[in-house]
């Protein structure tokens, strides 16, 4: 895949970039290694000040980078601005909370005595140079949510971003340096996927984190496993959105639309499978379909646009294949199911609602990365849980119920990294984020995400 900015709304190639060669990669690896030797000894107050400076700079430039993101991958400008603001918030959150999260942990006096020590504690030390392989769908947020905790912990980062967001990647490579981080603490590698293995196998790389597809995760995990290096993987998701009879149906419908079409439907944590109790199924379907059909598809730069284009032509083709396979096997498209006829250029696709889904259809088990929702009726809680878990993924889940007994059952039985009641899944710097099954392993954000790339060190003093 070429490293290029291609506007998804027009299909026009705006700028191309040459991939960095072996000499440039070597220089960046050397700079990162040298930077870590010094940066790892900086105090936490200094690291926090640098993160605050980065937040201030990004806040000042958020309109500029929002336009870049919209141009490169097609998210609405409204969403791009919100993404930039979220990144500012995360940088400041880690600046405010990093010292607390990295503080030494002290076991009880009884446990220290029982271990035969006069003193003992746990210290979090940085691992080193961390390679981040990041996706295009949240091109700023996905990187910041790795970089902020990583830099606060004393690690340094090398970013291999998706090849269709090179300008956003370059911006990130400059942002931390301009904010005052020492040279080499955070750098961007403009390279293709074929360069990842050699970089990851380099002994100067201590660990890796990847957000992306399942095949990409398998590849990185296999290489890192062969090299005995730590990885964190956040892969695909096909999150359930369960609606039970006690739910506020109006709120559930409004939130369902946002949960499905956020980021033009291209989000791992977007709700994709809507599992609705039979008692409220017809009412939900009627309102949800009407709301999806009423969305405005168009130029992502316009404030009035609800859904912009998909990021790539291949991405739209993949989505069409899933929908056509389902319809060909008997599913019904209550709305959408096609390219908008009034958009002759760009990679647009209409918001779509499908019913009559069966296990033989690909969309039942594969992730639909675009504004396509599948609807399932469920006669009771047990049926809803069974449907929700009947996929290879387990990233997050959304449940609408005001029944506390039902809530306890869903918390116990749903196979997912998160259970969100009466709202939609959203990542927040204070909450751990990640999945189970083929959605990956490890956690990002919160103290859990920060500690993933720390050497958790036991310090013990003899009596």
């Amino acid at each position: 895949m070429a490293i290029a900015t291609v506007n998804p709304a027009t299909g026009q190639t705006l700028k191309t970039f040459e991939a960095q060669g072996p000499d440039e990669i070597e220089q960046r690896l050397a700079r990162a290694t040298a930077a870590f030797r010094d940066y790892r000894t900086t105090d936490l107050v200094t690291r926090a000040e640098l993160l605050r400076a980065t937040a201030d700079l990004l806040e000042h430039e958020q309109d500029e980078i929002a336009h870049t993101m919209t141009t490169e991958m097609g998210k609405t400008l409204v969403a791009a601005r919100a993404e930039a603001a979220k990144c500012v918030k995360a940088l400041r959150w880690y600046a405010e909370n990093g010292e607390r999260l990295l503080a030494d942990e002290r076991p009880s006096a009884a446990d220290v005595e029982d271990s035969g020590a006069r003193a003992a504690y746990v210290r979090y030390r940085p691992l080193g140079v961390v390679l981040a392989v990041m996706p295009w769908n949240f091109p700023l947020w996905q990187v910041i949510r790795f970089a902020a905790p990583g830099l606060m912990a004393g690690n340094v980062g090398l970013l291999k971003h998706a090849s269709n967001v090179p300008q956003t990647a370059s911006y990130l490579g400059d942002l931390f340096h301009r904010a005052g981080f020492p040279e080499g603490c955070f750098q961007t590698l403009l390279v293709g996927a074929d360069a990842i293995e050699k970089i990851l196998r380099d002994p100067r790389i201590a660990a890796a984190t990847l957000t992306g597809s399942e095949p990409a995760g398998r590849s990185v995990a296999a290489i890192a496993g062969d090299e005995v290096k730590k990885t964190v993987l956040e892969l695909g998701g096909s999150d359930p959105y369960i609606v039970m009879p006690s739910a506020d149906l109006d709120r559930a419908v409004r939130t369902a639309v946002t949960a499905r079409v956020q980021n033009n439907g291209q989000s791992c944590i977007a709700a994709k499978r809507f599992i609705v109790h039979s008692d409220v199924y017809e009412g939900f379907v009627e309102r949800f379909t009407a709301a999806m059909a009423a969305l405005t598809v168009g130029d992502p730069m316009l404030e009035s646009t609800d859904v912009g284009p998909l990021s790539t032509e291949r991405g739209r083709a993949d989505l069409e294949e899933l929908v056509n396979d389902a319809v060909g096997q008997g599913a019904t498209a209550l709305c959408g199911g096609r390219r908008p006829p009034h958009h002759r250029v760009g990679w647009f696709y209409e918001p779509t609602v499908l019913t009559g889904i069966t296990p033989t259809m690909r969309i039942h088990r594969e992730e639909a990365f675009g504004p396509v929702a599948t609807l399932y009726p469920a006669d009771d809680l047990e049926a809803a849980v069974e449907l929700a878990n009947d996929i290879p993924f387990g990233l997050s889940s959304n449940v609408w119920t005001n029944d506390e007994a039902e809530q306890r059952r869903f918390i116990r039985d749903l196979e997912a990294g998160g259970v969100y009641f009466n709202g939609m899944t959203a990542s927040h710097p204070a909450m751990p984020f990640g999945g189970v099954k083929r959605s990956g392993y490890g956690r990002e954000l919160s103290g859990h995400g920060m500690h993933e790339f720390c050497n958790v060190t036991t310090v013990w003093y003899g009596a």
Side-chain angles (χ1 to χ4, degrees):
M1 182 178 180
I3 301 175
T5 297
V6 181
N7 189 335
T10 64
Q12 181 183 5
T13 300
L14 302 178
K15 194 171 184 179
T16 59
F17 297 79
E18 288 291 329
Q20 294 163 351
D23 290 345
E24 179 66 20
I25 294 171
E26 169 57 32
Q27 290 173 17
R28 294 186 181 233
L29 277 166
R31 279 199 295 268
T33 304
F36 177 66
R37 282 196 295 267
D38 293 331
Y39 182 68
R40 67 184 181 86
T41 64
T42 57
D43 60 85
L44 295 174
V45 172
T46 298
R47 296 177 200 169
E49 288 173 350
L50 290 169
L51 286 181
R52 289 190 188 95
T54 308
D56 292 344
L57 186 57
L58 177 56
E59 186 172 47
H60 179 71
E61 298 173 348
Q62 66 180 26
D63 282 343
E64 175 188 345
I65 189 57
H67 276 82
T68 300
M69 287 191 284
T70 296
T71 299
E72 289 200 304
M73 58 70 57
K75 69 171 70 242
T76 65
L77 187 58
V78 172
R81 290 192 185 115
E83 181 174 339
K86 186 174 185 176
C87 292
V88 171
K89 179 179 180 178
L91 288 161
R92 289 177 176 154
W93 190 88
Y94 274 103
E96 292 299 320
N97 294 281
E99 186 170 0
R100 171 180 60 85
L101 296 172
L102 292 166
D104 293 343
E105 290 186 13
R106 305 281 175 174
S108 70
D111 285 337
V112 171
E113 182 180 1
D114 189 59
S115 75
R118 62 177 173 83
Y121 60 88
V122 175
R123 175 156 294 179
Y124 294 100
R125 297 188 292 160
L127 285 182
V129 183
V130 181
L131 174 66
V133 182
M134 293 288 109
W136 48 262
N137 57 333
F138 291 95
L140 202 66
W141 170 241
Q142 301 279 11
V143 177
I144 293 297
R145 76 184 195 188
F146 144 73
L151 289 166
M152 188 65 210
N155 294 305
V156 303
L158 281 176
L159 169 65
K160 189 284 178 214
H161 218 323
S163 294
N164 60 328
V165 290
Q167 293 188 66
T168 304
S170 296
Y171 173 83
L172 284 158
D174 293 336
L175 176 66
F176 293 98
H177 183 64
R178 290 189 292 118
F181 277 92
E183 183 179 10
C185 278
F186 192 91
Q187 301 173 86
T188 290
L189 298 169
L190 289 182
V191 296
D194 57 349
I196 293 175
E197 179 170 359
K198 185 176 181 180
I199 296 168
L200 184 51
R201 289 190 184 278
D202 191 290
R204 290 168 291 186
I205 297 293
T209 178
L210 176 141
T211 299
S213 68
E214 185 182 338
R218 287 177 181 275
S219 176
V220 165
I223 297 165
D226 190 50
E227 296 291 335
V228 197
K229 294 181 179 181
K230 176 70 177 289
T231 53
V232 170
L233 303 181
E234 193 263 278
L235 308 179
S238 191
D239 290 0
Y241 189 101
I242 300 170
V243 182
M244 300 298 286
S246 65
D248 180 331
L249 202 59
D250 288 335
R251 284 187 59 224
V253 168
R254 287 196 303 271
T255 306
V257 174
T258 303
R260 179 62 289 240
V261 302
Q262 59 173 312
N263 209 44
N264 305 339
Q266 301 165 121
S267 170
C268 294
I269 58 170
K272 299 182 177 77
R273 298 174 301 123
F274 296 81
I275 301 167
V276 185
H277 193 282
S278 300
D279 289 353
V280 292
Y281 181 78
E282 289 186 7
F284 180 91
V285 170
E286 181 181 356
R287 296 183 219 183
F288 180 63
T289 302
M292 289 282 283
L295 294 171
T296 299
V297 179
D299 184 349
M301 291 291 183
L302 299 178
E303 300 283 336
S304 59
T305 294
D306 297 310
V307 180
L310 299 187
S311 67
T312 65
E313 190 172 17
R314 180 68 256 174
R316 182 175 67 176
D318 289 343
L319 189 67
E320 286 177 320
E321 288 176 9
L322 285 180
V323 173
N324 292 341
D325 171 76
V327 172
Q329 294 191 59
T332 300
L334 300 181
C335 68
R338 62 175 185 169
R339 302 179 184 186
H342 54 286
H343 286 291
R344 300 297 182 186
V345 296
W347 301 311
F348 295 91
Y349 197 79
E350 289 185 345
T352 300
V353 177
L354 298 176
T355 60
I357 304 301
T358 65
T360 62
M361 298 172 185
R362 288 176 55 200
I363 203 167
H364 179 69
R365 294 185 176 275
E366 297 181 31
E367 181 177 20
F369 221 55
V372 175
T374 53
L375 290 174
Y376 299 80
D379 289 336
D380 51 33
L381 183 147
E382 286 72 19
V385 169
E386 184 177 358
L387 275 168
N389 291 339
D390 188 32
I391 56 167
F393 302 109
L395 192 53
S396 191
S397 59
N398 313 260
V399 182
W400 286 75
T401 176
N402 290 304
D403 185 310
E404 292 184 2
E406 288 181 348
Q407 291 173 355
R408 289 192 293 270
R409 284 287 306 279
F410 283 118
I411 293 169
R412 187 191 73 181
D413 293 340
L414 286 175
E415 298 170 352
V419 184
Y420 285 69
F421 289 107
N422 301 325
M424 59 179 269
T425 299
S427 54
H428 185 280
M431 305 293 179
F433 180 83
V436 295
K437 302 196 287 190
R438 293 188 181 178
S439 288
Y441 52 76
R443 291 295 179 265
E444 297 177 286
L445 300 175
S446 77
H448 294 280
M450 177 179 281
H451 296 159
E452 290 281 6
F453 295 114
C454 286
N455 176 355
V456 184
T457 308
T458 298
V459 181
W460 187 94
Y461 298 88

